[in-house]
Amino acid sequence: VENACCCAPFGPSNFDKEPLATRQNLEIRCIPSLQECISQVDDWGVAYITAHSERLLKKEKSEEQVRAVYHPTLKIQGSYPALLRTQVDSAGHRACQYWTLEQQKREASEDWRKAEIRPMMHVSHLWMMGKDCGLVINCTDVLVQEASRAFPSGK
């Protein structure tokens, strides 16, 4: 995927809206090349689950049936740019590391809406809950560039 910046318009959050949770969702606005790549990952996930549906879902399923229960990692809603749902850990051995352009460690952005990011991601595992399933994508490292006050990014 090209080395272009993305943005995270909402910042990390979780279902319970608990700001101190150590595992949170981070939705990333996708650039076209990332969207294409993640679409291929989702297609692979559906194909894998379909091929192994008897073992994974306890019943042989068609691709159409698997797509009905698969939660894509890429959210596309109307004319809005696609959002990639990732996970970030803030503590423990899987804690996401944040970096400057000069490759120095830094803290996470204070205002994600005004930052440009380049995430390094890891497709971690397949999750299954009831009849639903999907892939987990973890952000392991994020290069963060705060928007210039002299030249706002306009995002």
mmCIF file of all heavy atoms in Angstrom, residues 36-57:
data_model
loop_
_atom_site.group_PDB
_atom_site.id
_atom_site.type_symbol
_atom_site.label_atom_id
_atom_site.label_comp_id
_atom_site.label_asym_id
_atom_site.label_seq_id
_atom_site.Cartn_x
_atom_site.Cartn_y
_atom_site.Cartn_z
ATOM 1 N N GLU A 36 -8.666 -0.865 -1.192
ATOM 2 C CA GLU A 36 -8.556 -1.998 -2.112
ATOM 3 C C GLU A 36 -7.907 -3.199 -1.417
ATOM 4 O O GLU A 36 -8.376 -4.325 -1.532
ATOM 5 C CB GLU A 36 -7.744 -1.580 -3.334
ATOM 6 C CG GLU A 36 -7.606 -2.659 -4.382
ATOM 7 C CD GLU A 36 -6.788 -2.176 -5.573
ATOM 8 O OE1 GLU A 36 -6.971 -1.019 -6.001
ATOM 9 O OE2 GLU A 36 -5.977 -2.978 -6.066
ATOM 10 N N CYS A 37 -6.848 -2.943 -0.676
ATOM 11 C CA CYS A 37 -6.137 -4.004 0.034
ATOM 12 C C CYS A 37 -7.030 -4.661 1.085
ATOM 13 O O CYS A 37 -7.109 -5.886 1.173
ATOM 14 C CB CYS A 37 -4.870 -3.437 0.673
ATOM 15 S SG CYS A 37 -3.903 -4.643 1.584
ATOM 16 N N ILE A 38 -7.732 -3.858 1.872
ATOM 17 C CA ILE A 38 -8.588 -4.392 2.928
ATOM 18 C C ILE A 38 -9.783 -5.126 2.339
ATOM 19 O O ILE A 38 -10.231 -6.137 2.880
ATOM 20 C CB ILE A 38 -9.027 -3.281 3.901
ATOM 21 C CG1 ILE A 38 -7.799 -2.717 4.632
ATOM 22 C CG2 ILE A 38 -10.062 -3.782 4.888
ATOM 23 C CD1 ILE A 38 -7.010 -3.724 5.452
ATOM 24 N N SER A 39 -10.299 -4.679 1.208
ATOM 25 C CA SER A 39 -11.378 -5.407 0.529
ATOM 26 C C SER A 39 -10.913 -6.807 0.155
ATOM 27 O O SER A 39 -11.669 -7.779 0.287
ATOM 28 C CB SER A 39 -11.832 -4.662 -0.730
ATOM 29 O OG SER A 39 -12.500 -3.482 -0.389
ATOM 30 N N GLN A 40 -9.656 -6.917 -0.280
ATOM 31 C CA GLN A 40 -9.098 -8.230 -0.615
ATOM 32 C C GLN A 40 -8.960 -9.097 0.641
ATOM 33 O O GLN A 40 -9.197 -10.303 0.593
ATOM 34 C CB GLN A 40 -7.751 -8.067 -1.307
ATOM 35 C CG GLN A 40 -7.863 -7.477 -2.690
ATOM 36 C CD GLN A 40 -6.508 -7.176 -3.315
ATOM 37 O OE1 GLN A 40 -5.452 -7.462 -2.751
ATOM 38 N NE2 GLN A 40 -6.534 -6.572 -4.488
ATOM 39 N N VAL A 41 -8.595 -8.497 1.762
ATOM 40 C CA VAL A 41 -8.497 -9.243 3.024
ATOM 41 C C VAL A 41 -9.883 -9.745 3.434
ATOM 42 O O VAL A 41 -10.040 -10.910 3.816
ATOM 43 C CB VAL A 41 -7.870 -8.375 4.144
ATOM 44 C CG1 VAL A 41 -7.985 -9.051 5.507
ATOM 45 C CG2 VAL A 41 -6.414 -8.064 3.824
ATOM 46 N N ASP A 42 -10.894 -8.886 3.344
ATOM 47 C CA ASP A 42 -12.259 -9.318 3.666
ATOM 48 C C ASP A 42 -12.729 -10.424 2.726
ATOM 49 O O ASP A 42 -13.352 -11.393 3.170
ATOM 50 C CB ASP A 42 -13.229 -8.136 3.629
ATOM 51 C CG ASP A 42 -13.247 -7.328 4.910
ATOM 52 O OD1 ASP A 42 -12.986 -7.902 5.995
ATOM 53 O OD2 ASP A 42 -13.543 -6.127 4.844
ATOM 54 N N ASP A 43 -12.426 -10.305 1.435
ATOM 55 C CA ASP A 43 -12.798 -11.363 0.483
ATOM 56 C C ASP A 43 -12.112 -12.674 0.847
ATOM 57 O O ASP A 43 -12.721 -13.742 0.773
ATOM 58 C CB ASP A 43 -12.439 -10.962 -0.949
ATOM 59 C CG ASP A 43 -13.337 -9.866 -1.504
ATOM 60 O OD1 ASP A 43 -14.421 -9.612 -0.922
ATOM 61 O OD2 ASP A 43 -12.949 -9.257 -2.524
ATOM 62 N N TRP A 44 -10.826 -12.597 1.243
ATOM 63 C CA TRP A 44 -10.117 -13.803 1.673
ATOM 64 C C TRP A 44 -10.796 -14.399 2.904
ATOM 65 O O TRP A 44 -10.979 -15.614 2.993
ATOM 66 C CB TRP A 44 -8.649 -13.489 1.984
ATOM 67 C CG TRP A 44 -7.949 -14.683 2.566
ATOM 68 C CD1 TRP A 44 -7.328 -15.680 1.881
ATOM 69 C CD2 TRP A 44 -7.859 -15.024 3.950
ATOM 70 N NE1 TRP A 44 -6.847 -16.624 2.768
ATOM 71 C CE2 TRP A 44 -7.166 -16.244 4.044
ATOM 72 C CE3 TRP A 44 -8.298 -14.417 5.123
ATOM 73 C CZ2 TRP A 44 -6.888 -16.868 5.257
ATOM 74 C CZ3 TRP A 44 -8.030 -15.041 6.332
ATOM 75 C CH2 TRP A 44 -7.335 -16.249 6.393
ATOM 76 N N GLY A 45 -11.169 -13.544 3.867
ATOM 77 C CA GLY A 45 -11.825 -14.027 5.075
ATOM 78 C C GLY A 45 -13.108 -14.779 4.764
ATOM 79 O O GLY A 45 -13.366 -15.861 5.313
ATOM 80 N N VAL A 46 -13.924 -14.228 3.878
ATOM 81 C CA VAL A 46 -15.179 -14.891 3.493
ATOM 82 C C VAL A 46 -14.880 -16.220 2.806
ATOM 83 O O VAL A 46 -15.519 -17.238 3.104
ATOM 84 C CB VAL A 46 -16.028 -13.969 2.589
ATOM 85 C CG1 VAL A 46 -17.192 -14.731 1.963
ATOM 86 C CG2 VAL A 46 -16.540 -12.774 3.381
ATOM 87 N N ALA A 47 -13.902 -16.234 1.894
ATOM 88 C CA ALA A 47 -13.549 -17.471 1.196
ATOM 89 C C ALA A 47 -13.033 -18.531 2.174
ATOM 90 O O ALA A 47 -13.392 -19.711 2.075
ATOM 91 C CB ALA A 47 -12.502 -17.186 0.112
ATOM 92 N N TYR A 48 -12.203 -18.115 3.134
ATOM 93 C CA TYR A 48 -11.660 -19.060 4.118
ATOM 94 C C TYR A 48 -12.781 -19.640 4.981
ATOM 95 O O TYR A 48 -12.852 -20.851 5.198
ATOM 96 C CB TYR A 48 -10.617 -18.365 5.004
ATOM 97 C CG TYR A 48 -10.030 -19.295 6.025
ATOM 98 C CD1 TYR A 48 -8.944 -20.097 5.700
ATOM 99 C CD2 TYR A 48 -10.566 -19.389 7.313
ATOM 100 C CE1 TYR A 48 -8.400 -20.979 6.640
ATOM 101 C CE2 TYR A 48 -10.037 -20.262 8.243
ATOM 102 C CZ TYR A 48 -8.954 -21.051 7.906
ATOM 103 O OH TYR A 48 -8.433 -21.937 8.818
ATOM 104 N N ILE A 49 -13.650 -18.778 5.475
ATOM 105 C CA ILE A 49 -14.747 -19.251 6.332
ATOM 106 C C ILE A 49 -15.675 -20.163 5.542
ATOM 107 O O ILE A 49 -16.134 -21.189 6.055
ATOM 108 C CB ILE A 49 -15.505 -18.053 6.946
ATOM 109 C CG1 ILE A 49 -14.586 -17.291 7.890
ATOM 110 C CG2 ILE A 49 -16.760 -18.523 7.681
ATOM 111 C CD1 ILE A 49 -15.097 -15.916 8.287
ATOM 112 N N THR A 50 -15.940 -19.826 4.275
ATOM 113 C CA THR A 50 -16.786 -20.672 3.433
ATOM 114 C C THR A 50 -16.151 -22.047 3.256
ATOM 115 O O THR A 50 -16.819 -23.075 3.420
ATOM 116 C CB THR A 50 -17.030 -20.009 2.060
ATOM 117 O OG1 THR A 50 -17.639 -18.730 2.259
ATOM 118 C CG2 THR A 50 -17.920 -20.867 1.183
ATOM 119 N N ALA A 51 -14.853 -22.073 2.935
ATOM 120 C CA ALA A 51 -14.153 -23.342 2.716
ATOM 121 C C ALA A 51 -14.104 -24.197 3.980
ATOM 122 O O ALA A 51 -14.070 -25.431 3.902
ATOM 123 C CB ALA A 51 -12.744 -23.078 2.194
ATOM 124 N N HIS A 52 -14.108 -23.573 5.149
ATOM 125 C CA HIS A 52 -13.996 -24.289 6.425
ATOM 126 C C HIS A 52 -15.263 -24.132 7.270
ATOM 127 O O HIS A 52 -15.206 -24.255 8.496
ATOM 128 C CB HIS A 52 -12.780 -23.774 7.198
ATOM 129 C CG HIS A 52 -11.491 -23.967 6.461
ATOM 130 N ND1 HIS A 52 -10.787 -25.141 6.487
ATOM 131 C CD2 HIS A 52 -10.808 -23.125 5.634
ATOM 132 C CE1 HIS A 52 -9.706 -25.027 5.726
ATOM 133 N NE2 HIS A 52 -9.699 -23.814 5.194
ATOM 134 N N SER A 53 -16.380 -23.853 6.620
ATOM 135 C CA SER A 53 -17.614 -23.550 7.353
ATOM 136 C C SER A 53 -18.096 -24.700 8.227
ATOM 137 O O SER A 53 -18.621 -24.467 9.318
ATOM 138 C CB SER A 53 -18.715 -23.107 6.395
ATOM 139 O OG SER A 53 -19.022 -24.129 5.467
ATOM 140 N N GLU A 54 -17.915 -25.922 7.776
ATOM 141 C CA GLU A 54 -18.384 -27.043 8.598
ATOM 142 C C GLU A 54 -17.632 -27.091 9.928
ATOM 143 O O GLU A 54 -18.219 -27.277 10.986
ATOM 144 C CB GLU A 54 -18.237 -28.368 7.842
ATOM 145 C CG GLU A 54 -18.945 -29.507 8.533
ATOM 146 C CD GLU A 54 -19.045 -30.745 7.669
ATOM 147 O OE1 GLU A 54 -18.737 -30.681 6.464
ATOM 148 O OE2 GLU A 54 -19.438 -31.785 8.219
ATOM 149 N N ARG A 55 -16.320 -26.879 9.884
ATOM 150 C CA ARG A 55 -15.511 -26.885 11.106
ATOM 151 C C ARG A 55 -15.768 -25.629 11.943
ATOM 152 O O ARG A 55 -15.919 -25.702 13.168
ATOM 153 C CB ARG A 55 -14.026 -26.966 10.750
ATOM 154 C CG ARG A 55 -13.092 -26.894 11.947
ATOM 155 C CD ARG A 55 -11.633 -27.109 11.553
ATOM 156 N NE ARG A 55 -11.151 -26.187 10.551
ATOM 157 C CZ ARG A 55 -10.628 -24.985 10.827
ATOM 158 N NH1 ARG A 55 -10.547 -24.562 12.063
ATOM 159 N NH2 ARG A 55 -10.185 -24.209 9.861
ATOM 160 N N LEU A 56 -15.836 -24.455 11.297
ATOM 161 C CA LEU A 56 -15.960 -23.189 12.024
ATOM 162 C C LEU A 56 -17.391 -22.872 12.454
ATOM 163 O O LEU A 56 -17.613 -22.349 13.541
ATOM 164 C CB LEU A 56 -15.429 -22.038 11.167
ATOM 165 C CG LEU A 56 -13.942 -22.076 10.830
ATOM 166 C CD1 LEU A 56 -13.609 -21.010 9.799
ATOM 167 C CD2 LEU A 56 -13.106 -21.907 12.079
ATOM 168 N N LEU A 57 -18.354 -23.151 11.580
ATOM 169 C CA LEU A 57 -19.740 -22.763 11.831
ATOM 170 C C LEU A 57 -20.643 -23.954 12.127
ATOM 171 O O LEU A 57 -21.852 -23.801 12.255
ATOM 172 C CB LEU A 57 -20.283 -21.970 10.634
ATOM 173 C CG LEU A 57 -19.483 -20.723 10.252
ATOM 174 C CD1 LEU A 57 -20.013 -20.122 8.949
ATOM 175 C CD2 LEU A 57 -19.503 -19.697 11.374
#
